[in-house]
Structure formats: structure tokens, C-alpha cells
Amino acid sequence: MISVSYILLCGQLLLLLTVILLQCLEGIHSQNSSTTETPAAAPGQGATALPFSQQPPGVVKYEIPAESANYTEPYEYRPPSPVVLCSYLPEEFIYCQDPVDHAGNYSAFQELGHGCVGWGGQTPKEVNYTQVICTALDDIECAGPREFLRGNVSCIKYTGHYFITTLLYSFFLGCFGVDRFCLGHTGTAVGKLLTLGGLGIWWFVDLILLITGGLMPSDYSNWCTYY
């Protein structure tokens, strides 16, 4: 009679051979599938992207500034390209112009789409902001138009007026209208001169206005700061 131990040993050997055969078949199948087709890997999962020359012909349209009046012309750009858009260049690779001065002409601002209608302001809520025209520097390679709108520039300008200097003028020579002459308020400065500072009342009022920010340069520029 065949012993029980002999039957168990044969069963174990048969099970081992079956497992080895299944592993061999699975390895052959996986090797064939990897050579015949390339699965699409999701971004961010360690997949290696194909070279740009082998990428599919699909393109993505971006709304980027163009060399036109409205600066909203769509431009076809291939993201896998090693060349970035000109509008994405860092600040050290571009040159930006000063904001356009519309001098209070709101119609011109609506037509152009950017620029400063009003200037100045003492707090962030009072200051207007606008985009400016920027250009990529020479010898900088980039895709798309080299001139574009960019930034959120504050409508603030400086024309050489210093608060401390004007305050000293107003305190010592305010009766003669020197402070208003320096700030560009020529008409009221002449009246202040002829009345000798309104017999001291005008002199005192202008001194308070200067301290509280009520008397500013006539061109709406801000005070220059000392460094």
C-alpha cells in the first residue's frame, strides 16, 4: 500500500510545479505587453515624457498679450516646448515702461485698456493700479509676442517734492506763499503773497493742511522719501 506520507510529498511537488509554471506564464505575458504597447501615464506619477518631436500634434491656446491694440489675441503654444512664453519671463529679463498718463481722461483709459486716470494717494485704497507695457530684452529667447501687458503697477509718481523741505518753507516763509509756489499752486500762492498769508490765518491753515495731507503738489505726485 502507498503510504500517506508519499501521497502528501507528491501533492506538494505537484503544487510547487504548478506555482512555478504560473509565474513563468505571467512573466512572459507582462514582457509581451510592455513591448507591444506603451501605457499613458498620468502626470506626477514618475512617468517619462516623450521628446517634443514625438509629442502629438495637439496644441493649447492661451489668451496672452499680443502686439495689437487690445492685447488679447490668442496664441497657439505647445506646453512641452523648452521655450517659455515671453509674458512669463522673470522681471530681470524684461523692460517695463512707465504707466500711461491719461490726465483724467477716462474715455482714453477705456479705449486703451490700461494707464492711470488719476495719480497719487496716501493709503492703498486711494491708489489706483494699472498694467504696463513690457518688452523682453534682446538676446532673450521666448515664445509669443515680445511686447505684452504685465504687472499691477501703482499710479504713483515722484517729481522732487520733499515733505520736510516744504514744511520748513511753510513755517518760515509761508506768509509769502513760498510753500505754495514750490508745490505748483501758483494762483493761490500769489494771493497768499499779496495778503501776507491772509494776515497769518492762511499761513496757519496751510501749515495744518500740510501736516494732515490736505495740501499736496499740484501735479498729484507723492512726497519723495529719504533713504
Side-chain angles (χ1 to χ4, degrees), residues 21 32 39 49 70 76 79 95-96 108 118 123 133-134 154 161 169 171 187:
L21 180 62
N32 292 335
N70 53 12
E76 292 185 353
Y95 167 76
C96 295
T123 62
I133 300 176
C134 298
S154 57
H161 297 286
Y169 283 156
F171 185 81

Side-chain angles (χ1 to χ4, degrees), residues 4-173:
V4 177
S5 60
Y6 180 75
I7 295 175
L8 293 176
L9 180 60
C10 292
Q12 291 178 357
L13 290 175
L14 182 61
L15 181 61
L16 180 61
L17 291 175
T18 304
V19 171
I20 295 175
L21 180 62
L22 290 176
Q23 288 182 353
C24 293
L25 292 176
E26 185 179 357
I28 295 174
H29 177 71
S30 61
Q31 184 178 3
N32 292 335
S33 60
S34 63
T35 55
T36 55
E37 60 179 18
T38 303
Q45 297 182 356
T48 304
L50 292 174
F52 178 67
S53 59
Q54 301 180 10
Q55 291 287 339
V59 294
V60 180
K61 289 188 177 181
Y62 288 88
E63 291 287 338
I64 65 170
E67 297 179 354
S68 60
N70 53 12
Y71 291 90
T72 57
E73 218 177 276
Y75 174 76
E76 292 185 353
Y77 172 63
R78 298 178 181 269
S81 172
V83 181
V84 300
L85 291 172
C86 295
S87 57
Y88 290 169
L89 288 174
E91 294 184 358
E92 57 266 23
F93 297 142
I94 62 176
Y95 167 76
C96 295
Q97 304 177 11
D98 294 331
V100 179
D101 186 6
H102 293 296
N105 191 345
Y106 192 73
S107 299
F109 168 75
Q110 289 182 325
E111 181 180 355
L112 187 61
H114 62 91
C116 294
V117 179
W119 295 84
Q122 301 298 316
T123 62
K125 294 182 179 179
E126 299 175 353
V127 177
N128 296 324
Y129 296 90
T130 181
Q131 291 182 317
V132 293
I133 300 176
C134 298
T135 307
L137 297 178
D138 296 338
D139 300 330
I140 299 297
E141 185 179 2
C142 58
R146 300 186 67 84
E147 186 175 281
F148 48 88
L149 288 175
R150 185 172 178 181
N152 196 24
V153 181
S154 57
C155 294
I156 292 179
K157 58 183 178 180
Y158 303 95
T159 55
H161 297 286
Y162 293 88
F163 173 75
I164 298 298
T165 305
T166 308
L167 185 62
L168 293 176
Y169 283 156
S170 181
F171 185 81
F172 292 105
L173 302 173

Side-chain angles (χ1 to χ4, degrees), residues 178-190:
V178 175
D179 50 354
R180 287 187 170 265
F181 275 116
C182 292
L183 294 178
H185 302 284
T186 307
T188 55
V190 173

